[in-house]
Amino acid sequence: MHVKLLRNGIGAVLLALCIACTALAAPLTFNPETMPMARYTGAYSVNVTPAGKSPTTGLDFAGEYRPILVQISNAREARPHGNLSEADIVYESIYAFNYTRYTAVFSDNHPSLVGSVHSARLHHCELREEWDCPMVFWGGQETPGVNVYEFFRANGVAGSFCVDGTRNPDKIPYDALFARDTARVSPHNVTVNLRKLAENVWPAKPDGASYAPKSHAFRFSDTPTRGQDTAQAIYIPYDAGDYFPSYTFNPATRQYERWYNGEEQYDGITGKRIEASNVIVQVCRLERFPDPPECLAIATTKGGMMDAFIDGQRIRGAWVRDNLSDRTIFLDGKGNELTLLPGKTFIQIVPEGFGYTYMSAEGMEHRAEW
């Protein structure tokens, strides 16, 4: 069942506040002298996941760790999204101009319908490298010098890890995985059955055994990393017209409830409110190619600045990832790896020079600039 999002007075006020805060709030800038950017030195070991817990959410989990990345369209025609509420981790990043797309990590749950599946860009493929798992997408960027298929070949990524609905090099039974939602318009109507993928076409080792991705476990605790100040609301205006996520903190549930373009965001299949225990704003270098101008390259390695919003607090810190094969590590201002609150995590990838706004629990507006 699809859930329609109704615009109401609260949504209109929230959107107005988003725009006003972005334009008028006093800037908060990073001072490298008071908080030096930490560097990955190999001191950050693989996190040990407690028995009976999920490495990606910290919640109770008794299944096998099988993460799958899915490229999901964020165009208006693709909303509300199918089973986005079931993803453990969701990245939102610019892919052209100020338009955004989701890269969702499903591990605790593998829904039988996720959509709508869309194309991949180079930085999406770079995310797959750190997760070391299958990636589902529908076609990919083939601009000279920024070609996803050349990237896969150069990095030795086997076809069984590239579940591209437009190509089928490994003779995967795609008819059983992909379908079209007749209620939506093409190209925003492709869905994928992750349950069948995880159970029937999961990559195998040369000896026939099931492939086990390397650990990408986060640190979780009911007493997560504490912040420098409070954060009751967050406003991230990629494009104030149509790509404008925001969050409001619910202290009763310890969740950041997600809004989009001033409307409460709900799942189009489950009807669940989209929410996150942790919201991370990850700042990355961005390059625009002159031809075509909408072609973007976002650097997801080396490192940069970061703001994390956890349990109603803001933590300014950094992220580090020296190589494609490394996991991205989020650090607090002292260089310690963040401890997240158990639950879902949204990672908002923004370019350098981007400004966004958050509001403290006291109602004070702050503009964060990089």
Side-chain angles (χ1 to χ4, degrees), residues 14-337:
L14 177 62
L15 187 57
L17 281 173
C18 293
I19 298 171
C21 292
T22 301
L24 302 176
L28 258 179
T29 55
F30 169 65
N31 184 345
E33 295 182 357
T34 59
M35 196 192 76
M37 184 188 296
R39 288 285 296 162
Y40 175 68
T41 61
Y44 302 99
S45 59
V46 174
N47 292 319
V48 176
T49 302
K53 297 293 183 180
S54 162
T56 49
T57 64
L59 301 173
D60 292 343
F61 179 66
E64 183 179 356
Y65 176 58
R66 288 190 172 187
I68 302 172
L69 268 66
V70 183
Q71 286 304 114
I72 298 177
S73 171
N74 191 28
R76 182 175 291 275
E77 296 86 350
R79 306 171 193 158
H81 302 87
N83 276 312
L84 187 66
S85 64
E86 301 305 297
D88 301 358
I89 316 288
V90 179
Y91 299 85
E92 182 176 9
S93 61
I94 295 171
Y95 73 93
F97 300 111
N98 293 322
Y99 309 154
T100 69
R101 187 159 294 167
Y102 295 123
T103 303
V105 181
F106 293 85
S107 183
D108 288 9
N109 297 297
H110 296 123
S112 58
L113 186 155
V114 172
S116 66
V117 181
H118 220 286
S119 59
R121 298 295 185 266
L122 198 60
H123 64 280
H124 303 141
C125 302
E126 291 183 353
L127 292 176
R128 193 224 71 85
E129 291 297 295
E130 70 172 284
W131 284 95
D132 187 34
C133 69
M135 174 177 170
V136 178
F137 57 107
W138 191 266
Q141 189 173 19
E142 296 186 76
T143 306
V146 193
N147 187 308
V148 301
Y149 303 104
E150 290 179 357
F151 175 90
F152 288 137
R153 285 192 292 270
N155 289 278
V157 181
S160 57
F161 290 89
C162 307
V163 186
D164 179 0
T166 67
R167 303 188 181 192
N168 190 3
D170 284 7
K171 307 302 180 186
I172 296 173
Y174 279 12
D175 289 347
L177 297 181
F178 292 100
R180 293 276 186 176
D181 181 352
T182 57
R184 296 178 185 267
V185 298
S186 178
H188 306 287
N189 62 350
V190 177
T191 65
V192 64
N193 188 327
L194 295 188
R195 183 178 303 166
K196 287 186 176 180
L197 195 159
E199 293 176 354
N200 302 327
V201 292
W202 186 257
K205 295 180 180 179
D207 62 2
S210 293
Y211 182 80
K214 64 188 177 186
S215 175
H216 196 299
F218 293 98
R219 292 184 179 181
F220 292 100
S221 173
D222 287 330
T223 54
T225 300
R226 308 308 293 170
Q228 292 96 337
D229 55 359
T230 60
Q232 177 62 32
I234 315 161
Y235 315 108
I236 306 172
Y238 293 104
D239 180 330
D242 212 22
Y243 295 89
F244 199 156
S246 56
Y247 300 84
T248 53
F249 182 65
N250 185 335
T253 61
R254 303 175 78 181
Q255 297 292 298
Y256 278 101
E257 297 172 338
R258 203 166 196 262
W259 301 66
Y260 221 84
N261 297 331
E263 298 179 339
E264 297 176 337
Q265 189 176 15
Y266 289 89
D267 192 296
I269 299 296
T270 67
K272 292 180 182 177
R273 186 78 158 87
I274 304 293
E275 58 186 18
S277 297
N278 315 283
V279 178
I280 296 173
V281 180
Q282 180 181 353
V283 182
C284 297
R285 297 183 308 280
L286 180 149
E287 181 179 354
R288 290 185 185 271
F289 290 81
D291 186 21
E294 71 272 15
C295 181
L296 303 178
I298 297 175
T300 64
T301 57
K302 302 309 177 187
M305 300 312 304
M306 172 224 70
D307 271 347
F309 297 88
I310 307 172
D311 206 16
Q313 299 203 0
R314 164 190 161 269
I315 304 101
R316 172 147 287 193
W319 64 273
V320 289
R321 182 189 178 202
D322 277 359
N323 303 297
L324 284 175
S325 59
D326 294 331
R327 66 186 177 95
T328 301
I329 302 170
F330 299 104
L331 308 170
D332 65 16
K334 297 180 180 178
N336 301 311
E337 183 171 356

